[in-house]
Amino acid sequence: MQQRNYKDIAYGIGLVAFGLWIFVYAATNYHLGTPAQMGPGLFPAGVGTLIGVLGAVIALTGALRNIPADDGPRLDLRATISVLSAIGVFALSVTTLGLFPAIILMVGIASLADDKLKPHKAALLALALCTFAYLVFNLGLGMPWPLWRSPF
Amino acid sequence: MDILALFSENIGIGLATAVTPTNLLYCFFGVFLGMLVGVMPGIGAMSAISMLFPLTFYLEPTTALIMLAGIWYGTAYGDSLAAILLNVPGATSTAITCLDGYPMARQGRAGVALLMTTIASFIGGSIGIVLMMLFSPVIVRYAQQFGAAEYFMLMLLGLISASNISNASPAKSMAMAALGVALGTVGMDLYTGTNRFVFGTLELTDGIGIVGLAMGLFGVSEIISSVRDVSTSTIDRKSITFRSMIPTRDDLSRVWPPILRGSAIGSFFGALPGTGSAVATFVAYGSEKRLARQPERFGKGAIEGVVAPEAANNAADQTAFIPTMTLGIPGSATMAIMLGALLIQGISPGPTLMTRHPDVFWGLVMSFWIGNLLLLVLNVPLIGLWIRILMIPYHLLFPAILMFICIGVYSVNNSTFDIWTVVVFGGIGYLMRLGGLPAAPLILGFVLGPLMEEHFRRAMILSRGEFSTFIDRPVSLSVLLLCLLVLGWGGYRAWRGRRSASAVDILAD
């Protein structure tokens, strides 16, 4: 029985779309020029085409060849969201609230990725990391970031 | 005679640069930190390097280079340690160490495996360094005649062979390399001053930051996929004592030929563009197994199966610096990151580096040796510390790693934009992991992309728009043919391989 590799098909189509977008964007927004006098758009347009072609190869191989799809890692939505938003919150708070609040918020959100890190342990970890960051980055390397800051 | 005199003169220049108290201290820091991060479970050498290299931005170029070399050694060794004790390889090149290293650890011979690994790495690395010292000047002499067309072709060969000689499918790897090249075009075009793909942001005019890109693609995506996967294992700490490191007479009689063979294989594959240490370790293991009198011992704790790949790994890591430093063409993702760090320091590796800044070049070479030696010295007494770090539960470790990533990337430009780069590429990197798309070719493409565009455009200007310039020049033509050969081989492999038979399997068989 023919078994299609839907993951490869989806990723391949995604790459085709992205390559096409690069090509169109580069060709319409930037000057292409001639081979002897290449404009800024020609090289990106060429690379976009290449990505599209390779994406098509990936999608077609997934559709036509009977290769058993390896399951691979499964999407862990909870870990993804908490890890990425922990970094995002650090980015938002480090300039507005200061380094310590940024670390505390980050550890708090990151601890949601996994059940193993209980709140009281997360609090201790945040405290330890704040101390470490203060000693190493502030005192040791002399990075001039505010530790606490009023957002107002 | 002449060569010998030149050789010792270069050693002199190198030692004078490397052996200053400051440089030695930073080399030590580099090795120590590299091992510290490399040994952490769930962090491979790539993530460790991308996390640590912003630290070197504060230093002056030579010291930074020396520290980088230390970091690089440390992470690679930390990886082997985790592979032997926990059976968790952090990189493809250490995957093979697990095969016999972990069984040795389970037989209570972890101490011997660790000591012999260190010695094998030292010998492999030393042989690689000597080869680098001998061949770099020769290559530089040839490279001075290379024009834009040759450079473009060599870089293309690097990308193509990196994509075709890996575990992933050639189409996927090449797509990722192309994606990396596309990401490399973001920012101001050097020829015309046009801002490309910046979407009105000021920060992107300098291009996407390599620190954020690498940390996102390797570090963050690795954390997301390990958060609930890595379980803490317990290691019997008492089993690894100094006494347990003493090899038996049987061990000692077995290890030398595999170490030397492994070093030779590693040196050869490391110097080829795009192949790197992963292939070298697989071939070294395969050939030891074939040469062995009792091949059935392999996989059950044969010491030959540990030392040969480790020697090959370090020799390859070393000779991989030859194309990176003499031509400015990195052969692997690690080398690409090293090249990125050098460019940030204002050093552009290539034929002119050795002639104009011999102190930087030879200082780096000598500091490799010192780093190698420090590794040997640090490893044995600190083994207890490394094991303790290996046993830190991951749920306590990953928030700390996230903090280091955030602070590290923020410290480069004091700009939160770089932290957002990490978020975006962390997400993309995780998506790529799920789809089986390798991140290493992307980094390589990202670093090589702008150089390739520059050389391509220069070649086209010089030839007045004639594409035949790539065929008319003999060196360029032969590299082009080599590209086609590798491409054809990759295609054949993909077509033949019903199951995911990798090049590495074929080579190791």
Side-chain angles (χ1 to χ4, degrees), chain B residues 18-38:
Chain B
V19 189
T20 66
T22 327
N23 290 352
L24 280 179
L25 188 71
Y26 279 104
C27 190
F28 171 81
F29 276 153
V31 173
F32 183 79
L33 286 174
M35 284 183 82
L36 196 73
V37 181

Side-chain angles (χ1 to χ4, degrees), chain B residues 318-344:
Chain B
Q318 211 55 64
T319 49
F321 265 101
I322 299 177
T324 312
M325 297 304 288
T326 56
L327 302 172
I329 302 175
S332 65
T334 345
M335 282 297 127
I337 291 206
M338 293 289 278
L339 188 74
L342 293 178
L343 291 173
I344 290 173

Side-chain angles (χ1 to χ4, degrees), chain A residues 5 7-8 11 15 18 21-22 25-26 29-30 35-44 47-48 50-51 54-55 57-58 61 65-68 70-80 82-92 94-95 99 103 106-107 110-111 113-118 121 125 129-130 132-133 137 141 143-145, chain B residues 55 58 152 169-172 174-176 178-179 181-183 185 189 191-192 194-199 220 223-225 227-228 230-231 395-400 402-407 410-411 414 416 419-420 422-424 426-427 430-437 449 452-453 456-457 460-461 464-467 494-500:
Chain A
N5 188 338
K7 199 189 254 180
D8 279 5
Y11 274 87
L15 283 169
F18 189 65
W21 175 81
I22 295 179
Y25 191 90
N29 286 283
Y30 310 120
Q37 278 294 318
M38 282 171 62
L42 197 58
F43 193 79
V47 176
L50 187 64
I51 293 174
L54 290 167
V57 171
I58 293 170
T61 333
R65 292 280 310 279
N66 195 1
I67 301 174
D70 52 11
D71 285 335
R74 298 186 78 88
L75 176 68
D76 188 341
L77 207 58
R78 181 175 159 193
T80 314
S82 42
V83 168
L84 292 183
S85 43
I87 305 172
V89 164
F90 184 94
L92 289 176
V94 71
T95 44
L99 187 62
I103 292 175
M106 195 189 75
V107 173
S111 71
D114 188 21
D115 293 323
K116 282 182 220 137
L117 192 57
K118 299 280 182 286
K121 275 196 179 169
L125 180 65
L129 289 178
C130 282
F132 185 87
F137 297 108
L141 294 170
M143 290 174 181
W145 307 335
Chain B
L55 287 176
Y58 290 93
F152 173 78
S169 93
K172 285 181 180 176
M174 278 192 288
M176 287 304 104
L179 193 61
V181 174
L183 291 172
T185 63
D189 170 34
Y191 280 77
T192 57
T194 314
N195 282 324
R196 296 187 292 190
F197 303 105
V198 296
F199 309 107
V220 173
I223 289 175
I224 296 175
S225 50
V227 161
R228 287 203 272 183
V230 175
S231 52
H395 62 265
L396 291 178
L397 200 58
F398 85 85
L402 282 180
M403 182 194 83
F404 286 116
I405 289 180
C406 287
I407 293 183
Y410 183 54
S411 67
N414 275 333
T416 47
I419 308 182
W420 290 111
V422 176
V423 176
V424 170
Y430 185 59
L431 266 180
M432 283 164 54
R433 241 168 221 266
L434 291 178
L437 300 169
M452 283 174 81
E453 179 177 9
F456 187 75
R457 281 164 88 166
M460 289 324 276
I461 290 170
R464 296 169 206 282
E466 291 296 329
F467 286 99
W495 172 77
R496 204 199 70 160
R498 292 235 113 201
R499 301 179 66 83
S500 56

